[in-house]
Amino acid sequence: MILDFLELDKSHTFVGSKAYVLAMMAQAQLPVPAGMVLSHLPESQEDWGRIEEWWQRQNMAPLAVRSSAFGEDSEEMSFAGQNQTFLNVTSVDDLKNAIKACFKSVNREASQSYRQFFMGEKKEVPMNVVLQVMVNADYAGVYFSVNPTKSEDGAVLRLS
C-alpha cells in the first residue's frame, strides 16, 4: 500500500501511530505538511513511479523519511530513535536509499534490543515508512500530555 495522507482509510491503523495520526490530522484539514505512507518496500517500477509522481506534485521539496512501525508507540513505551529517520532528502537516488534504509532499520541491533528489553522478545514488528515534506520551522517543541517531571497530572509544552 502506497497512499497519500489524504487517501488513508480510518481503518488502516496497521500503518503505525505516527503515519495514522498524521494522516488523520491532514484529513481534518489541520496544517500538516503533505505526506505519504508506504506499508512495504517498493519493489516494482510502478511503485517507485507513484512515489516520484507524488513528490513532483510537492515540487520536489526536501523530504523527511520517517519510520512508523506498528506498535512503535503506545501508552507503555515509545520506540523514539530506535528506527532510522532521514531529513532533507533532495534527490531520487537519496530518496530510494533512505526508504530502503528506513525499512531495514527495524532489524538494527538497537531496535531489536529495545524490543527484547521492553517486550521480552526480539519479535519483528511491521514497518511502515512516512514520506513528509520538510518545513522551515520558526520553533521546535515537544508536547507531553502528562508531565514527566512530576507525579501530578498536567501537560507540558517545551519550545526551543
Side-chain angles (χ1 to χ4, degrees), residues 9-154:
D9 188 89
K10 287 184 174 147
S11 68
H12 290 160
T13 57
F14 59 85
V15 297
S17 59
K18 183 183 299 161
Y20 184 79
V21 170
L22 286 167
M24 294 304 106
M25 288 191 310
Q27 290 177 28
Q29 299 181 348
L30 293 170
V32 175
M36 170 175 258
V37 181
L38 315 178
S39 67
H40 65 279
L41 178 62
E43 295 174 2
S44 70
Q45 207 42 43
E46 183 181 332
D47 285 347
W48 288 113
R50 179 173 164 98
I51 292 166
E52 288 183 44
E53 287 171 17
W54 173 85
W55 196 14
Q56 287 172 355
R57 288 193 305 276
Q58 311 313 316
N59 298 315
M60 302 295 284
L63 295 178
V65 179
R66 310 169 69 195
S67 68
S68 184
F70 183 75
E72 191 173 55
D73 296 312
S74 68
E75 289 184 20
E76 295 84 29
M77 67 186 101
S78 169
F79 279 68
Q82 303 310 312
N83 300 313
Q84 290 197 278
T85 293
F86 299 88
L87 302 176
N88 291 310
V89 175
T90 59
S91 75
V92 172
D93 285 341
D94 287 345
L95 177 61
K96 287 180 177 182
N97 290 333
I99 289 171
K100 290 173 186 176
C102 202
F103 271 107
K104 286 182 184 178
S105 71
V106 74
N107 295 316
R108 288 176 47 204
E109 185 60 36
S111 186
Q112 289 182 13
S113 295
Y114 191 91
R115 290 194 303 274
Q116 176 70 45
F117 185 80
F118 287 102
M119 300 168 73
E121 59 185 337
K122 289 185 177 181
K123 178 179 95 174
E124 189 168 324
V125 294
M127 176 63 93
N128 302 277
V129 169
V130 170
L131 308 181
Q132 194 170 25
V133 171
M134 297 285 300
V135 296
N136 291 322
D138 292 327
Y139 300 95
V142 178
Y143 175 78
F144 294 96
S145 56
V146 176
N147 189 337
T149 62
K150 299 180 182 175
S151 59
E152 62 200 46
D153 287 340

